């Protein structure tokens, strides 16, 4: 009998939830992560008593009651509602696209007037079946919003023309004909009181966790100590990039401490023009309604992923999806390896998607 039932590679959300539920079923787990901390991209660093979302702003939102109850059983969530503001050349607009945005842009007052404006612009563009992000955006919200709030931001974020990106990316954003600045449509949202690390402390409580430990540094040893491996790193790396490398976008953060209590008055401000080199500025204290004397902001820059940077966003275009399918075929034939999470499944998952996947995993599912 091997020492562990599961070796879990990655102490991010997928790995930590898997470990928690497996332990609850009586399984022996070892979690390893190559980073010096758990939490994956949700990790918070404490700077000036502010929980800084080190790898980018994370807002938990879901409409799945089981998921919401599960995370709330581990830690308390506050009532933060994400309402980012877009800054286009110094002029501010509310997001997601809603009556406040339409009013600021066109002076329209009623939903019918806003719909009419969009209808006119859609017809002028002559799009019937949107084939890419640009066409999808124009047919959803018209050409003005596309030019001012979407084109510059999206092309900075993805490093590709909107005409070369899949329509699905923009479908994530709500379009509303009400005066409602809530960025998400979900029933529940919030930030763990005290930051995301609290959630991970609870998930990994009593589970052997080795940080600063890369699976690939001694693969043979790690494969020998557990009955099964749960792998949450990049799937192409697992297979030695044998079919070629999947592409990712990476993000870089320029974080500074400022000697002011309130820099921008909102947690997230998107810079939607093409000229500003960063996509957004995060002011972390606002996620937890902080009133510390100082503030911490992070400017977020998006760039193409290289082997020495962190892979963040899978680029689900045709080339990459075909390549991923080849890796997936191999992964599906494994009997002692489980692939899960954003990197191993090469999917643009949100946190609630990850929790749901783990809760539903056949090896962990409980009938209660
Ligand atoms: P990760 O968090 O990436 O964890 C994988 C872990 O595996 C990492 O810790 C890594 O170090 C480790 N690992 C990889 N390879 C190895 C190896 N060889 N050996 C050992 N360890 C290894 N979701 C939301 O719901 N709301 C948001 O607002 C939101 N904002 C986001 C903003 C940004 C900038 C990004 C990038 C993502 C955002 N997400 C958001 C998505 C969220 O981060 C993911 O859904 C979630 O973190 C995925 O968890 P995971 O475990 O799959 O991956
Ligand atoms: N987007 C945009 N303008 C904005 C915000 C978002 O055009 O001000 C587009 C952009 O293409 C982005 C997509 O909408 O990639 C999804 O946005 P979301 O905020 O969900 O991205 P994430 O938080 O995952 O980076």
């Amino acid at each position: 009998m091997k020492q562990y039932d599961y070796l879990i590679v990655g102490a991010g959300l997928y790995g930590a939830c898997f470990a928690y539920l497996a332990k609850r079923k009586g399984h022996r787990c070892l979690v390893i992560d190559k980073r010096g901390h758990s939490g994956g991209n949700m990790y918070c660093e404490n700077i000036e008593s502010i929980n800084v979302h080190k790898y980018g702003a994370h807002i938990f939102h879901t409409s799945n009651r089981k998921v919401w109850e599960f995370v709330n059983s581990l830690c308390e969530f506050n009532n933060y509602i994400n309402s980012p503001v877009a800054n286009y050349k110094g002029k501010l607009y509310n997001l997601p696209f809603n009556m406040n945005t339409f009013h600021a842009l066109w002076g329209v007052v009623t939903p019918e007037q806003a719909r009419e404006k969009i209808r006119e612009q859609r017809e002028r563009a002559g799009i019937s079946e949107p084939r890419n992000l640009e066409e999808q955006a124009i047919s959803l919200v018209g050409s003005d919003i596309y030019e001012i709030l979407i084109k510059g931001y999206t092309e900075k974020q993805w490093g590709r023309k909107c005409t070369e990106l899949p329509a699905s990316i923009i479908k994530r954003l709500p379009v509303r004909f009400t005066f409602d600045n809530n960025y998400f449509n979900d029933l529940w949202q919030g930030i763990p009181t005290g930051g995301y690390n609290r959630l991970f402390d609870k998930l990994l409580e009593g589970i052997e966790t080795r940080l600063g430990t890369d699976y690939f540094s001694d693969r043979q040893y790690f494969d020998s100590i557990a009955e099964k491996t749960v792998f949450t790193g990049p799937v192409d790396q697992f297979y030695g990039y044998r079919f070629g490398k999947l592409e990712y976008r990476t993000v870089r953060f320029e974080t500074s401490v400022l000697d002011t209590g309130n820099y921008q008055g909102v947690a997230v401000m998107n810079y939607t023009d093409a000229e500003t080199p960063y996509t957004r500025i995060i002011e972390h204290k606002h996620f937890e309604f902080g009133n510390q004397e100082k503030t911490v902001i992070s400017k977020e820059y998006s760039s193409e992923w290289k082997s020495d940077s962190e892979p963040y966003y899978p680029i689900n275009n045709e080339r990459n999806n075909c390549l991923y399918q080849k890796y997936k075929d191999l992964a599906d034939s494994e009997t002692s390896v489980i692939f899960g999470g954003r990197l191993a499944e090469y999917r643009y998952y949100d946190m609630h998607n990850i929790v749901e996947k783990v809760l539903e995993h056949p090896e962990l599912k409980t009938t209660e």
Side-chain angles (χ1 to χ4, degrees):
M1 187 158 108
K2 294 189 176 177
Q3 196 181 346
Y4 302 100
D5 297 309
Y6 293 107
L7 166 75
I8 296 162
V9 181
L13 190 60
Y14 192 98
C17 285
F18 197 101
Y20 176 86
L21 294 175
K23 176 174 179 268
R24 219 167 61 173
K25 289 198 102 183
H27 297 303
R28 301 154 305 151
C29 300
L30 169 66
V31 178
I32 62 169
D33 202 297
K34 62 181 181 181
R35 294 182 186 170
H37 58 75
S38 61
N41 289 339
M42 293 158 63
Y43 172 71
C44 293
E45 185 176 10
N46 189 297
I47 304 177
E48 298 287 343
S49 304
I50 296 167
N51 291 310
V52 172
H53 295 201
K54 191 177 158 86
Y55 301 93
H58 277 74
I59 301 104
F60 199 98
H61 55 97
T62 183
S63 291
N64 181 322
R65 184 179 293 277
K66 270 195 191 159
V67 168
W68 188 237
E69 283 175 357
F70 176 70
V71 294
N72 276 273
S73 73
L74 300 163
C75 64
E76 181 189 86
F77 278 70
N78 69 16
N79 63 347
Y80 174 82
I81 302 259
N82 199 33
S83 310
V85 172
N87 183 325
Y88 180 75
K89 302 188 177 179
K91 196 155 176 2
L92 304 184
Y93 300 91
N94 290 110
L95 292 172
F97 313 124
N98 72 79
M99 283 304 294
N100 291 308
T101 330
F102 307 143
H103 176 70
L105 202 60
W106 300 316
V108 294
V109 170
T110 67
E112 192 38 47
Q113 290 167 343
R115 284 188 201 275
E116 187 49 35
K117 259 303 202 200
I118 293 173
R119 203 176 303 132
E120 265 170 41
Q121 298 195 353
R122 185 192 303 134
E123 273 166 23
R124 212 175 310 134
I127 299 158
S128 46
E129 279 288 302
R131 286 163 307 173
N132 54 49
L133 195 151
E134 174 173 297
E135 294 184 358
Q136 179 70 54
I138 295 174
S139 62
L140 276 176
V141 286
S143 44
D144 287 347
I145 292 189
Y146 171 66
E147 292 294 337
I148 293 175
L149 299 176
I150 298 176
K151 189 171 191 289
Y153 185 93
T154 299
E155 295 188 349
K156 282 191 290 188
Q157 165 79 1
W158 294 98
R160 283 158 179 74
K161 296 263 165 248
C162 287
T163 46
E164 292 160 17
L165 286 165
S168 57
I169 292 178
I170 201 73
K171 286 191 197 149
R172 285 168 60 91
L173 294 191
V175 179
R176 284 194 203 111
F177 293 88
T178 52
F179 292 91
D180 178 359
N181 297 329
N182 183 347
Y183 201 60
F184 303 113
N185 278 331
D186 281 316
L187 281 176
W188 300 289
Q189 76 180 281
I191 307 279
T193 309
Y196 284 96
N197 299 359
R198 296 240 173 121
L199 178 69
F200 284 88
D201 290 346
K202 215 44 196 213
L203 285 169
L204 294 171
E205 200 172 64
I207 294 171
E208 188 181 345
T209 304
R210 295 186 205 162
L211 299 174
T213 305
D214 190 333
Y215 170 72
F216 296 107
S217 68
D218 201 349
R219 189 171 183 165
Q220 226 178 356
Y221 160 73
F222 287 118
D223 285 343
S224 72
I225 57 174
E227 302 293 339
K228 282 196 176 180
T229 299
V230 177
F231 186 78
T232 74
V235 63
D236 53 347
Q237 188 183 15
F238 187 89
Y239 288 111
Y241 306 107
R242 70 178 71 166
F243 303 125
K245 284 191 177 178
L246 290 164
E247 295 169 301
Y248 300 88
R249 287 298 282 173
T250 192
V251 271
R252 177 175 67 80
F253 299 96
E254 235 173 60
T255 295
S256 15
V257 178
L258 303 181
D259 224 347
T260 168
N262 188 0
Y263 172 73
Q264 63 183 16
V266 68
V268 183
M269 189 168 296
N270 290 0
Y271 285 77
T272 57
D273 64 297
E275 293 75 27
T276 306
Y278 39 85
T279 49
R280 48 191 173 187
I281 298 183
I282 310 301
E283 187 171 9
H284 302 268
K285 69 189 324 178
H286 296 306
F287 289 123
E288 295 181 61
F289 320 111
N291 52 13
Q292 298 86 345
E293 268 177 32
K294 295 190 181 183
T295 197
V296 180
I297 61 161
S298 300
K299 291 181 176 163
E300 185 171 330
Y301 297 82
S302 175
S303 61
E304 207 63 27
W305 174 77
K306 301 200 181 62
S307 333
D308 58 349
S309 51
E310 288 288 342
Y312 278 91
Y313 291 94
I315 302 176
N316 290 106
N317 59 17
E318 213 173 304
R319 181 245 175 216
N320 290 318
N321 287 345
C322 287
L323 185 54
Y324 169 65
Q325 192 53 48
K326 293 189 183 175
Y327 287 116
K328 185 172 183 312
D329 290 343
L330 286 182
D332 286 345
S333 66
E334 302 280 355
T335 51
S336 58
V337 189
I338 293 164
F339 293 84
R342 231 187 203 206
L343 302 172
E345 295 178 70
Y346 200 65
R347 289 281 298 276
Y348 191 0
Y349 283 135
D350 277 331
M351 295 178 278
H352 59 282
N353 303 126
I354 300 276
V355 175
E356 188 174 321
K357 292 282 284 190
V358 184
L359 288 174
E360 294 297 321
H361 197 281
E363 296 201 16
L364 303 172
K365 215 167 169 235
T366 47
T367 42
E368 325 141 20

